Amino acid sequence: MSHDFVKKSLTRRGVLKGAASGAGAAVLGAGAARAQGPDPLITEKQDWATGLGDGVDATPYGLPIKYEDDVVRRNVPWLTADPISSINFTPIHALDGTITPQGCAFERHHSGAIELKKEDYRLMINGLVDTPLVFSYADLERFPRENRVYFCECAANTGMEWAGAQLNGAQFTHGMIHNMEYTGIPLRTLLEEAGLAAAGDLKDKWVYVEGADASSNGRSIPMDKALDDVLVAFKANGEALRKEHGYPVRLVVPGWEGNMWVKWLRRIEVTEAAVESREETSKYTDTLADGTSRKWTWVMDAKSVVTSPSPQSPIRHGKGPLVITGLAWSGRGAITRVDVSKDGGKTWETARLAQEGQNKALTRFYLDTTWDGEDMLLQSRAMDETGYVQPTKHQLREVRGENSVYHNNCIQTWHVKPNGEAENVEVS
Amino acid sequence: MSHDFVKKSLTRRGVLKGAASGAGAAVLGAGAARAQGPDPLITEKQDWATGLGDGVDATPYGLPIKYEDDVVRRNVPWLTADPISSINFTPIHALDGTITPQGCAFERHHSGAIELKKEDYRLMINGLVDTPLVFSYADLERFPRENRVYFCECAANTGMEWAGAQLNGAQFTHGMIHNMEYTGIPLRTLLEEAGLAAAGDLKDKWVYVEGADASSNGRSIPMDKALDDVLVAFKANGEALRKEHGYPVRLVVPGWEGNMWVKWLRRIEVTEAAVESREETSKYTDTLADGTSRKWTWVMDAKSVVTSPSPQSPIRHGKGPLVITGLAWSGRGAITRVDVSKDGGKTWETARLAQEGQNKALTRFYLDTTWDGEDMLLQSRAMDETGYVQPTKHQLREVRGENSVYHNNCIQTWHVKPNGEAENVEVS
């Protein structure tokens, strides 16, 4: 092994420029390496298989390999597991792409996850409809379906951060979000099946939706949203919803706060007015500086976060080539641009979007850059198709005060240190 | 409960017309139902939660609910689990949408699934390159990444069907396919990092790729494909590749047969000519009627299958509204149209695509129709952006004879009987 070769290869195209610590080690040329036996680096490090591996009988349904056992939605002792109010966070610091596997997609329950058989499942549509109906699961399977990828974000995502930098990890500051491909029936189809003539002018009507769990988690949805893009969904990422995601049927309310995505959906009532349930009065409203509350704050505004590097995903290599990556999303439509700052918002570079932004779905962004090994104050700033720009925490506090829990979509800052470790910090 | 109400609701908009057997049962109106207590159908059938459900501490990484334990890739005793040649099938009959969860995505090993740590992983690029290189996993993480959804289909998918209708279920006839969102580095980037000037004219050059498992599963790929859309991938559906899918790194060769998607990827050699390895000579060639073999049959031609109704997904309801659904794909680009026949190919109806066809990815199609309760000979026929039309089995046999195993992309027929059961049959 020639260190000159290593250095030469690392500087060749500048891609790995300066990254002498192990980024792409040159070998002595194919012929040489093969004539002289395996490269030392390989024999030393790599335990190539010399016998048979495992067959397939152990994996009728597979799980991640044991080496990834820290990539889970529950990995710290302080998370509450009390069924009265329980939460697990998506390990977004360790994921890439946009799809969230169901197995590590965040879960939040208001009275625990319940077990409901398809055979026992019923969905009632009642209230101001021509013919109240009760659907079995088998009934639902007979209606035309749609497939759409949407993000689901808890209104309380990033809620702890209002008061300052609290939680040290993107999973905990921003992990109450997931992004899945849903298969379901437009709610419009089922409402029209029951008939809406009885509701008269639909403009000011509402639907009240509730789940079969003990909390019922009832929420009021304005009729125009109900008739727009809401889905009565039974599959996520191709397979049945998981128990903790509302098996067998949940509501999908694209772009709106996760609490409205009622799980174990049992009833949809067409109403004259909003019900003003607990979940939309004492909870899921935003207390302003003067003590009054904003209500009907359904839409999740444009937001983004750098997922790596981040406190749970430090830089383990030295200076040189670095991939900065993260997620962006907007409840108002597609993400059109994401900027990244390394200096706490003084200067910005436009990131590369892995795919064109999709309506109300996660967008993955990358900044392929070079790290000089110095401190960085990493931030990302999302823009959506309405022209909305993700605000700083300062801008958000000016409007909303510091009493809020919900709807914190401010720019997040990670302080990346010369040793590669990152910390949640606040910049003024 | 008034049966007139039921009937009335079922015929209201014609959507559930004629489906008197339980498709959408009307209730006595919202006010009545609530004033008089729960609807009898509900109290009888539905065990609504009256107490707390489960907390989240049991599900750091979740699995499907127990009621879905038949939706697995290994569910029949006759599947070989011998590590020398093992296979599990995606349960496509029970899935919807397009994404395949890793946990139930088909797996095929030529010498078993091996366990390789990221820390021990090395990827060598050698042969006709300017500077042979060895990359660690950490090195790979420093190169610009892409995210793309692609299908991966085993060349032997549907291979048993050449001789006639053999296997009774879409999972077994067509389940050697999955469709995931991959995150990886373009192979082009890594080849250019090693430098291709030494290879001279690239037009007739090849890359030889091999895995770290005992079979090595070496395959030759023409340089133009290698520089086009091949990815060196480390994530699928956002998370690390599963062990059985090549953790930590596999090759993604969009649109081409799954055997070339080398798992546990350890070496990429730029060569003057194809290596003519076992996996591309004695295997993965197509024996024609005259005994000669077609080789280099890499591309998976346009294909489709009705996943429901199908033998493992019979019609459980009576006549009336019926959703016919299935999957279509093409290794040559996007699916542009899928037709469905109920009479064995005599007449066709154009199905609805859930989303516009994506390049080399699964497309979900639906035909929202009405079943008269009579026999159906269900077929689907895919068309792709090149104008290619999926052939009948007869057409395919005329060209390819009956000695083949691989690349059977013919139209599949399910005989759906008046009792709703379906069977794999052949029509002339």
Side-chain angles (χ1 to χ4, degrees), chain A residues 298-309:
Chain A
W298 305 300
V299 181
M300 303 308 293
D301 278 316
K303 187 168 170 179
S304 68
V305 66
V306 171
T307 53
S308 179

Side-chain angles (χ1 to χ4, degrees), chain B residues 286-300:
Chain B
D286 305 307
T287 306
L288 300 177
D290 65 1
T292 62
S293 285
R294 297 200 314 158
K295 70 174 181 177
W296 310 144
T297 52
W298 305 301
V299 180
M300 303 308 293

Side-chain angles (χ1 to χ4, degrees), chain A residues 12 22-25 53-54 59 68 94 96 98 107 111 113 134 139 145 147-148 181 192-193 235 243 247 355, chain B residues 12-13 22-25 53-54 59 68 94 96 98 107 111 113 134 139 145 147-148 181 193 235 243 247 355:
Chain A
R12 244 199 78 255
D54 293 342
T59 50
E68 298 289 318
D96 209 315
T98 62
E107 46 174 333
S111 56
V134 174
D139 294 340
R145 297 165 211 164
N147 295 167
R148 302 273 180 248
E181 182 194 40
E192 289 178 349
E193 180 71 11
K235 305 246 168 164
K243 169 183 169 181
Y247 180 92
Q355 299 279 350
Chain B
R12 241 200 81 255
R13 295 184 54 253
D54 293 342
T59 49
E68 298 288 317
D96 210 315
T98 62
E107 48 175 332
S111 56
V134 174
D139 294 340
R145 298 165 211 164
N147 296 166
R148 301 273 179 251
E181 182 194 40
E193 181 71 11
K235 306 246 167 163
K243 170 184 169 182
Y247 181 91
Q355 299 279 349

Side-chain angles (χ1 to χ4, degrees), chain A residues 77 81 191 259 311 322 347:
Chain A
L191 288 172
N259 179 254
L322 170 68
T347 62

